[in-house]
Amino acid sequence: MSNEKWYNHERKQWYIDWCKENKYEESTLVLLERIFASTALVEKAFKKDVAEFNNNEVVDLFKSYNSKSPLRLKTWAYYLRNYYQWCYDKNIVTNIINPYDERTIDIIIKNIIPEEVYKDKFFGKEQLKYWVENKILDDINKFIAVGYFYGLSNDELINLKITDFNNEDKTVKLITGRIIKVDDFFIKYMKLAANATEYNAGYPMSNIKNMQFVTYNSGEYVIRQTGGDVQTLPVKYTLLSNRMMIIREQTENPLLSRSSLYKNGLINFIKEKYQEKGITLKTALFHQVNKKIYTYDKDTEEYIKEFGSGMTARMLRMQIKDVIDYYD
């Protein structure tokens, strides 16, 4: 990205060069360039460098990002905080108060990201139950949402057959070789999807001229497409993407996605595991033996692996440390 798009570009290029000399990773340098490009319009409006902003101007800057992700805003604040410190060390700015101080930024983010955004982004099984029982109309669509929440990947979901379910021990064998334990909620919506014969599009059947568009294929696959044929191959990923758009619209949650269902499902899974032991999620993730060792990390990583994720306990803790109260 050309530095001509940066405000006060000579100073920022000096900083970028300094970062290169100090062996910053290439990905960090690219991110810094993106941040400087994104601040340029606000800097021009205030006619000052981002390192010289006061508190109110920082608020306007962060509002201009139009982001609903606290993590993204905190990440950008971290790099702006470092940039300010460099300017201070070089005697370019003289204010001893860093406008991107972590405590200041936390307050700003809470003020500019509405409470309802958090509620849309962070949810548990009760919210999922409400959606599948009251909002999502089609039985296969219901199970797509449930499947993602229970940790199934795209491949595992489209290749799932009803014969993969073992009713005796309530397990499902997935195409990846994983065998997962499932509960009655999962089983209910898997069976509803497997037995679905007509697509519930949300409008009267009398409006449909060609019944092939709403008649599901027959076959062992749980996730099937319409057409009325016998389905011998799994559906394409595009069907899952298209159905997620419908699920998002029907739940009226613009932040609902495959990844958000998966992440919230992972956290719910861990939370339920610890509830069986009488331990809260916050305690499980943040209780320390000392300042370096977390008490339950070994158990947490076992649960993460059981869910099917490659995340570490540390990664999970970093991602939800600022929003843990929305889960616990």
Side-chain angles (χ1 to χ4, degrees), residues 7-195:
Y7 181 86
N8 210 354
H9 65 267
E10 290 183 0
R11 181 196 298 181
K12 290 185 171 68
Q13 187 61 57
W14 181 16
Y15 178 63
I16 291 287
D17 291 341
W18 179 86
C19 290
K20 289 179 180 177
E21 291 173 5
N22 285 272
K23 310 299 182 184
Y24 278 53
E25 293 184 1
E26 183 64 29
S27 59
T28 299
L29 299 175
V30 171
L31 179 57
L32 284 171
E33 291 178 355
R34 284 180 56 202
I35 293 172
F36 289 153
S38 70
T39 63
L41 284 176
V42 181
E43 288 176 301
K44 289 175 182 176
F46 292 129
K47 296 182 173 57
K48 62 171 69 173
D49 190 274
V50 69
E52 300 160 10
F53 279 13
N54 60 36
N55 186 262
N56 290 334
E57 290 161 346
V58 172
V59 171
D60 288 340
L61 172 66
F62 275 58
K63 283 183 178 179
S64 75
Y65 292 145
N66 196 28
S67 174
K68 295 180 179 179
S69 169
L71 181 61
R72 177 174 180 264
L73 293 180
K74 287 175 183 291
T75 300
W76 285 37
Y78 169 80
Y79 288 106
L80 289 172
R81 185 158 60 247
N82 290 348
Y83 172 60
Y84 165 86
Q85 187 60 50
W86 177 85
C87 290
Y88 183 81
D89 293 341
K90 298 293 184 184
N91 296 315
I92 298 171
V93 297
T94 57
N95 188 353
I96 62 172
I97 299 175
N98 191 322
Y100 304 98
D101 176 81
E102 189 171 2
R103 289 167 295 182
T104 301
I105 295 302
D106 285 347
I107 294 171
I108 290 173
I109 291 174
K110 287 180 180 178
N111 287 334
I112 67 175
I113 298 184
E115 183 79 11
E116 55 267 25
V117 170
Y118 285 93
K119 292 178 181 177
D120 285 345
K121 194 168 185 178
F122 311 114
F123 53 86
K125 188 182 289 185
E126 288 305 312
Q127 181 63 60
L128 177 68
K129 285 182 179 179
Y130 173 76
W131 285 330
V132 298
E133 291 171 0
N134 301 283
K135 293 291 186 178
I136 305 172
L137 300 177
D138 181 71
D139 285 336
I140 285 183
N141 288 357
K142 292 174 190 282
F143 183 66
I144 289 173
V146 170
Y148 284 143
F149 189 83
Y150 276 70
L152 273 65
S153 65
N154 283 333
D155 274 338
E156 290 171 337
L157 195 53
I158 65 175
N159 283 283
L160 182 64
K161 298 179 180 179
I162 195 61
T163 52
D164 295 327
F165 172 60
N166 186 326
N167 192 51
E168 291 185 6
D169 58 7
K170 292 187 177 181
T171 60
V172 174
K173 184 176 182 180
L174 302 171
I175 189 69
T176 52
R178 292 199 302 139
I179 298 177
I180 62 170
K181 187 83 173 177
V182 293
D183 58 14
D184 291 339
F185 179 72
F186 181 99
I187 295 167
K188 174 183 176 180
Y189 288 98
M190 177 182 64
K191 288 183 175 180
L192 284 173
N195 293 325

Side-chain angles (χ1 to χ4, degrees), residues 265-281:
L266 167 62
I267 295 166
N268 182 80
F269 180 80
I270 296 169
K271 180 179 178 179
E272 288 184 344
K273 288 290 188 181
Y274 279 114
Q275 280 179 335
E276 295 172 1
K277 300 178 178 180
I279 300 170
T280 67
L281 182 65

